[in-house]
Structure formats: structure tokens, C-alpha cells
Amino acid sequence: MSQRLRDIPSVEKVLQALGEQNLPRPLVLGVVRRYLQEIRSNETVPNASQILVELQAALKKARTSRLQPVINGTGIIVHTNLGRSPLAAKVAQKIAETGATYTNLEIDLESGERGGRAGYVEQVLALLCESEAAAVVNNCAAALVLILRHFARGKPEVIISRGELVQIGGGFRIPEILETSGAKLREVGTTNQTTLADYKAAIGAQTGLILKVHQSNFRMAGFVASPARAELSALARANGIGYVEDLGSGAMIETEKIPGLPHEPTPAEVLRDGAELVCFSGDKLFGGPQAGIIAGQRRLVRAMKADPFFRALRCDKLILSALQATAEICLAAPNPALPAVQMLNLSVKDLQARAEGLTHQLSGVAAQINIRPGQSETGGGALPDARIDSVVVEVKPRDKKLEELAAQLRTGTPPVLGYIAEGGFRIDLRTVFPEQDTLVVAALKAVLGDRAEIVSRREKVEVR
Ligand SMILES: *Cc1c(COP(=O)(O)O)cnc(C)c1O
């Protein structure tokens, strides 16, 4: 064996030097083995300390990529990258209760016969949407696919305004979803202007459906027009074709009652205006788990559920439990006790008081700490241009770049996320749970260093 290869330490030696990694041991072993294998084929072998540094970095990457709670200081309430709506504690508890035991998922306890899945939650959702029936699938994209498959079966053409051919987040483009569902896209109007006459002129023997997609993650302003929902649904009815709306967010609350927010159409309102079906996400402004909810006419909902493809899109018992608990909370009050809704309703005064408490505790850190007005967003593709007044804690480190501070906070335990603006790192308190305030303080102290603690540590040493 060459000297070069003999210099490579053994797996056991490396493992010992790495110490406790807070990761499953076989995973650590796998990373170490693969790494040592790799450097065997390299021209030059890194020295022992280099090896440790590189392995520590690889293991840290594994640790931070593990799914874990993070503190959301971005001010974006429904943040898709951060798992959208946090669940209410009661809802999370329901998942724990039903997940760890057997349930009546598909049994009718009265007759003892096999029962329908999700019957109860469908009933509650139908009540909330003031609809004849409802069904639940994995997400809103799946709901849309089912709906399109149904309407495109006989007559494949789906009419949609060019202003609504949108992309929602990564990899969800309305035209692509339409095509994978077997529907044929029939675009009408222009990006900013679509008239009732445009829709009317496009209806032909092959038309199965008029689809309206809520312009969720952007807003057009200026010379913009599209026909009212009631006009479109009347047109569809007169021509014997379907009218469906993909609502995206699915707010159950009157968003216009929150200062700074415009009105967001509710599923019930869309159905009242004549849509035969509406679909929306469970984890956006609805405030529950990931799901796609379809509500509307009973005959159509039945048809969706009869599609063999429905089987591939159905939710599991954990999601159904969470959705059931969320829907019951929605049913209980007009301002449901769900975190996303509660965050929307937090007052600037309360946020200001929390910010003052935080700043006080941070008086010893090596940074300038300011309280500033901020602007929160609903996110999740709802009300894209609406801003809610908020309060941010601004951190200006004395001897650290803002990007470095952001990265250190992001990779800490728990990770803290904020944003950089106007020469400071900002944490919007609207999306931070009050019980996380102490964690934010601890994270900032850990990253910035706390003069008060350093001094007191020194004092202790001196006493001894
Ligand atoms: C978010 C959104 C979707 C996708 O919803 P998922 O539940 O993530 O599948 C579809 N349509 C609109 C209009 C949306 O805003």
C-alpha cells in the first residue's frame, strides 16, 4: 500500500474523532465510508484535520436538511417553503390520537359493515362551503386534475382566460395540469383583458368547461378586466357546459375585516355565484393540513369520487383527522382559532409590546437592535399585493455581515428565518409564535455573543 493510502485514517478513528452527531449512527457511518472511499481515488489525500472539517460539514448538512420546526420571522403567514399553515395545537393532538391507534376509517360502527371513508369530514366541509357535497384529495392540484378529467371526458376543450394561465409555485403550471388531465386548452382574451364575448365566441361543440383560476400569486393592475363570475356561470349554463373555479387559497373568513386586506372570495360565495364546483387547498388560508377540497353539486362530487383515479389521490387517516379537526374549529366560530387566522388578527400594539420585551433582553448583544414598522403578507398565493402592518425586530450586527448572520440563524437549533432589508436583518413578529420569543432571544445571543453573559462569566472566574 502506498504511503498516500496509509495516511487515510480508519473509519473507527474518524467516527471517534467526530463524536456525537445527533444523527442515526448508520447514517453517519454511511457518510464517513462514502467520503473515505472517495478520497482514496483522489490524487492527494487531505490531512486528518481537513478530513474532519469536511465530514463535519457534510454531517451538518444532513442535520439541517432533516425535517424540523423552524421559527418563521419572514412575516409571510402561509409560506410554502416553510410548510404553509401551522396546525392548531388541538389539530396536531388529533393526529397524535388517531395516528397511534386503530380508527373507524372505513367501517360503519353502527352496522359493523364496511363504511365510506371521510364521510363525516365531507359533511362538515360541505356545511362550511354551503354546498350540496364535498370531497377531499391530496392537494388542490390533484383536485383540479380530477375535475378536468371529468369535464374533458366527452368534450375535451376547456376555456380559460389568458390572464389566468398562471404558474403557482414550483412545477405547477395551469396549462400543464390541463394537458395531463386530457383536457385541451382553449385560451381566450389577452393577458389583461378578457370579455364575456371572448368566452362566448370560444364555445363550440367540443367545449366541456369554462375554468376560472384565481390569480393567486400575482395581481394585475391598470387596464385590466374580466367578466364577473355570475356572468360566466350564466353563460356556461345557457350553453350546457360546466363552470368551475380553482380558488387556490380557500379563505373561510371575511378577510376584508382585517386592516390592510381586501376581500378574498370564499368557496361559498363562488358557489352562490353559480360555479358548479370549486376547489381549494387545505393548507393555505383555510389553515389546515395539506389537502385539496372539492365542493359543489352532489352529482359532480359523486362523479369525481367514482373516477378510479380518485383512489390514487385520496388522503390518509392522519390528514383526514387533521382536516376534520380544522373544519370543526372553522365551524365553531367566524374567526376560527387556527394559527394562520390568529396571526392575521394580531394587533400592532401587541406585537410592539413583544418587540420591546425582546429588545430589552437583547441589550447585551454585539449588535444594534431596533424596533421598526414592518409589513406582513398572507402568502400562499392569496392577496398577493396586500400588506398588513406589523412590527419587526431589526438586528444590525457590529462585526458580522448580514448574510453571515442570516446563515448562522438559519442553521441554528431551532433555525430562525428572517429577511434582510434596508441594511438590517429583520424578524417580523407576526409570524413568530409568542412562546418562541425566548428562542429567538437565545438564538440571537448564541450567534452575536452576549456582553452581559461574558461579563458575568468573567466575574465568576475572578471570584474563584
Ligand atoms: C396554491 C394553488 C394551487 C395548488 O394548490 P396545492 O394544494 O398546493 O396543490 C392551485 N391553484 C391555485 C389558484 C393556487 O393558488
Side-chain angles (χ1 to χ4, degrees):
M1 200 168 25
S2 72
Q3 182 61 39
R4 188 174 65 81
L5 292 186
R6 258 192 308 253
D7 283 348
I8 296 177
S10 71
V11 171
E12 280 65 40
K13 275 239 172 74
V14 173
L15 282 176
Q16 218 167 40
L18 283 170
E20 175 54 41
Q21 287 291 327
N22 193 22
L23 280 169
R25 201 178 149 77
L27 191 142
V28 177
L29 191 61
V31 170
V32 171
R33 281 215 177 110
R34 201 169 339 112
Y35 176 84
L36 294 180
Q37 196 68 45
E38 253 172 47
I39 58 171
R40 270 173 190 283
S41 54
N42 286 1
E43 288 276 305
T44 53
V45 173
N47 66 33
S49 70
Q50 252 176 311
I51 289 176
L52 280 185
V53 167
E54 284 179 21
L55 276 170
Q56 292 284 16
L59 291 165
K60 184 177 179 203
K61 202 175 169 88
R63 258 195 319 274
T64 52
S65 65
R66 198 188 222 170
L67 195 58
Q68 59 188 301
V70 307
I71 294 176
N72 176 11
T74 65
I76 300 167
I77 295 173
V78 179
H79 198 309
T80 295
N81 301 156
L82 305 185
R84 293 196 179 157
S85 287
L87 298 177
K90 244 187 179 168
V91 173
Q93 197 188 331
K94 193 79 192 169
I95 293 182
E97 267 172 34
T98 42
T101 182
Y102 296 104
T103 61
N104 59 339
L105 184 65
E106 278 187 18
I107 190 168
D108 176 353
L109 293 175
E110 296 216 305
S111 66
E113 309 276 306
R114 186 185 171 152
R117 206 180 164 96
Y120 177 81
V121 71
E122 286 170 356
Q123 200 180 336
V124 178
L125 289 167
L127 258 175
L128 285 170
C129 299
E130 297 169 35
S131 63
E132 289 177 5
V136 184
V137 287
N138 275 329
N139 50 39
C140 186
L144 194 56
V145 168
L146 268 184
I147 291 171
L148 290 168
R149 276 169 60 87
H150 173 79
F151 282 97
R153 208 155 287 155
K155 304 179 192 168
E157 272 186 20
V158 174
I159 302 178
I160 180 168
S161 161
R162 289 198 170 87
E164 295 167 10
L165 291 173
V166 297
Q167 168 157 351
I168 295 141
F172 181 94
R173 286 185 160 167
I174 292 291
E176 286 165 9
I177 291 277
L178 263 128
E179 267 152 39
T180 51
S181 316
K184 250 183 79 188
L185 184 62
R186 182 80 164 83
E187 304 170 31
V188 295
T190 61
T191 302
N192 57 330
Q193 294 268 338
T194 307
T195 64
L196 192 64
D198 290 331
Y199 282 97
K200 207 168 179 174
I203 298 175
Q206 289 302 300
T207 311
L209 177 71
I210 294 178
L211 175 68
K212 190 171 178 63
V213 177
H214 196 50
Q215 286 173 345
S216 43
N217 49 8
F218 71 107
R219 179 79 77 224
M220 286 195 291
F223 186 53
V224 176
S226 58
R229 175 180 299 127
E231 286 180 307
L232 277 178
S233 62
L235 177 70
R237 219 173 311 120
N239 286 276
I241 59 175
Y243 177 69
V244 166
E245 217 168 299
D246 169 12
L247 205 45
S249 198
M252 288 288 153
I253 53 164
E254 297 172 86
T255 51
E256 67 276 16
K257 291 203 170 147
I258 294 160
L261 292 192
H263 174 70
E264 170 81 4
T266 64
E269 171 186 341
V270 170
L271 293 172
R272 267 201 301 277
D273 280 349
E276 294 180 335
L277 287 178
V278 60
C279 61
F280 57 96
S281 292
D283 55 356
K284 291 185 179 173
L285 279 185
F286 186 73
Q290 181 188 304
I293 297 154
I294 304 172
Q297 292 183 2
R298 180 170 288 115
R299 104 192 132 81
L300 288 172
V301 171
R302 274 214 189 112
M304 302 297 123
K305 293 188 71 179
D307 184 339
F309 198 48
F310 179 83
R311 174 66 179 76
L313 305 176
R314 76 179 190 189
C315 297
D316 82 314
K317 61 177 185 279
L318 301 182
I319 294 292
L320 290 173
S321 311
L323 197 61
Q324 172 182 304
T326 306
E328 283 186 340
I329 292 173
C330 279
L331 211 51
N335 247 328
L338 298 168
V341 176
Q342 288 169 325
M343 282 174 181
L344 281 172
N345 280 303
L346 289 173
S347 75
V348 167
K349 192 166 150 263
D350 289 349
L351 296 176
Q352 178 77 24
R354 279 173 53 201
E356 277 159 22
L358 277 173
T359 326
H360 184 70
Q361 293 176 70
L362 289 170
S363 56
V365 298
Q368 195 187 328
I369 308 286
N370 304 309
I371 300 174
R372 293 211 185 279
Q375 303 228 290
S376 309
E377 299 172 38
T378 56
L383 309 166
D385 52 4
R387 295 289 179 275
I388 311 160
D389 284 340
S390 189
V391 177
V392 303
V393 170
E394 182 193 57
V395 183
K396 291 186 168 176
R398 257 183 232 130
D399 37 33
K400 224 188 257 296
K401 285 217 169 89
L402 293 175
E403 287 75 14
E404 192 190 348
L405 171 69
Q408 287 178 333
L409 288 171
R410 226 172 32 237
T411 53
T413 310
V416 177
L417 284 92
Y419 63 98
I420 293 170
E422 294 171 44
F425 178 81
R426 296 178 167 202
I427 298 172
D428 187 325
L429 293 185
R430 185 177 294 281
T431 46
V432 176
F433 288 92
E435 59 272 25
Q436 293 175 331
D437 285 357
T438 52
L439 295 173
V440 170
V441 169
L444 284 169
K445 281 184 179 175
V447 167
L448 293 165
D450 186 14
R451 204 172 345 116
E453 276 170 22
I454 293 164
V455 170
S456 75
R457 235 178 286 142
R458 238 183 247 142
E459 277 166 3
K460 266 183 212 149
V461 174
E462 278 161 21
V463 169
R464 273 181 208 160

